Amino acid sequence: MGMYYNYREIDGYQTPIRVILSRRGLGKTFGAVMKGVKKHVATGKRFVYVVETEEMIDELSQNRGEKFFAAIMDYLENKASARERKLLAPLIDEETEAAEVTEGETLNHIRGGVIKVAGNTAGYIVAFNSFAKLKRNNFRDVAYIIIDEFIPETIDIRSLKNAYKIVSLVQSIARLQNVVIYMLANSIRVNDIVLERLHLANLKPGEIRVIKDKYGPLVVGQMVNNADYAEFDAEANKSVAGRLAALMQEDNLERNEFNTGLKPGMLIGDHPKQSSFVACIVGINGESFRIHVTKDLGETYILEDYGKNIRSRFCIDQKFATPNVFYRPEYREYLLAKYEKGRIRFDTPSTFMRFKMILRLEA
């Protein structure tokens, strides 16, 4: 398929939400941002580039956004086709650039989260961890929302709110506009709450999956297979960075190998036994899970807390007790005993993560 990620196949599905998971460095971010830039130059439409934290915005804004624009300018100057150079000529207009520099500004820059392309507002950079701040802003003429690295490298209890944060952010930006949302991530892990909610948590390398709702196709997700980009794989493996990663045994991102912490057989699977509800266990930030016991009493199921149960809610740490949540420390010993004997099954990797955090097990 060439050296870098090609958007042609996933764009062919024409869904409003397009999720791409791959090894790092394959060009996912560059390709999506270039789409935004081209769309703006051709039509005046804008794009919103979403990162995880405000610190990332500050980093990309340093030196007027030089880091953000570096790959684009290098491509235009050295690798772009004649057609692309003609389309994007305003970005590399040397006379205009010189005039702008004398005024203390550059033709393409970032300031205060605003992306300027060819001197005009082309889009914005925002952080999904600051989603609440966006409710007071209006974003008009948005063609693309690009959510980059939505799977964090480190996970904790706050990561379980990422699905809510992303939905709130998209609602604040898109409102009733018909936008295309690109969600990009390095293939770090599959136990991610966002992937689970999108029904993409069990994608296999090379798989493309379409998720539909009552209105038709909504999401297309792709787990990129390294074998499809053998040229990039070969170049990356023999690079200094690739060789160092292999030597240090820190090349899981390159190999698309995942570690959820779940051993074989710890998930409930496609054929659950009949079971009965026992209780809900509540922990930090209101995170919780349900306990079910199978009809044959052989296994305990730990499930995401669904429904509106308000009577059988317990905590194992007294500081989380409320009028509706009762302190029952014995549940911790009960669950640990079942867990150590291998008698517990989980519905999803994220529920397993909740279980470990609430029971204060090592991550």
Side-chain angles (χ1 to χ4, degrees), residues 52 152-162 165 189 284-285 287 353-354 357 363:
E52 184 180 0
E153 289 197 15
T154 57
I155 54 174
D156 55 30
I157 199 73
R158 293 169 296 179
S159 303
L160 296 173
K161 296 293 185 182
N162 284 354
K165 292 176 183 177
R189 65 180 66 84
I284 186 171
N285 294 334
E287 293 294 342
M353 185 169 68
R354 285 188 183 90
M357 289 176 174

Side-chain angles (χ1 to χ4, degrees), residues 71-205:
I72 293 174
M73 300 310 295
D74 176 67
Y75 177 79
L76 291 177
E77 292 168 1
N78 300 300
K79 304 166 189 173
S81 66
R83 181 179 178 183
E84 287 176 313
R85 285 183 61 84
K86 183 177 180 180
L87 171 65
L88 299 176
L91 276 74
I92 48 178
D93 186 336
E94 295 180 357
E95 292 184 7
T96 306
E97 178 76 13
E100 294 288 343
V101 169
T102 61
E103 298 170 8
E105 200 59 270
T106 56
L107 194 62
N108 312 303
H109 68 272
I110 299 172
R111 176 177 291 174
V114 177
I115 302 169
K116 293 280 190 176
V117 169
N120 300 309
T121 298
Y124 310 90
I125 301 182
V126 301
F128 71 73
N129 274 347
S130 301
F131 66 97
K133 295 181 180 179
L134 299 179
K135 294 179 180 178
R136 299 184 295 272
N137 296 316
N138 290 317
F139 297 85
R140 64 182 182 85
D141 297 328
V142 175
Y144 300 125
I145 300 175
I146 303 165
I147 305 176
D148 203 9
E149 297 187 19
F150 68 87
I151 302 178
E153 289 197 15
T154 57
I155 54 174
D156 55 30
I157 199 73
R158 293 169 296 179
S159 303
L160 296 173
K161 296 293 185 182
N162 284 354
Y164 169 75
K165 292 176 183 177
I166 288 175
V167 168
S168 180
L169 177 143
V170 169
Q171 289 177 335
S172 296
I173 295 172
R175 310 217 175 190
L176 296 179
Q177 299 179 85
N178 290 319
V179 301
V180 173
I181 301 171
Y182 287 102
M183 300 181 64
L184 317 173
N186 294 329
S187 44
I188 299 170
R189 65 180 66 84
V190 290
N191 59 330
D192 177 73
I193 188 67
V194 176
L195 288 180
E196 287 179 8
R197 297 289 174 82
L198 291 172
H199 306 289
L200 299 174
N202 57 347
L203 280 174
K204 303 295 188 298

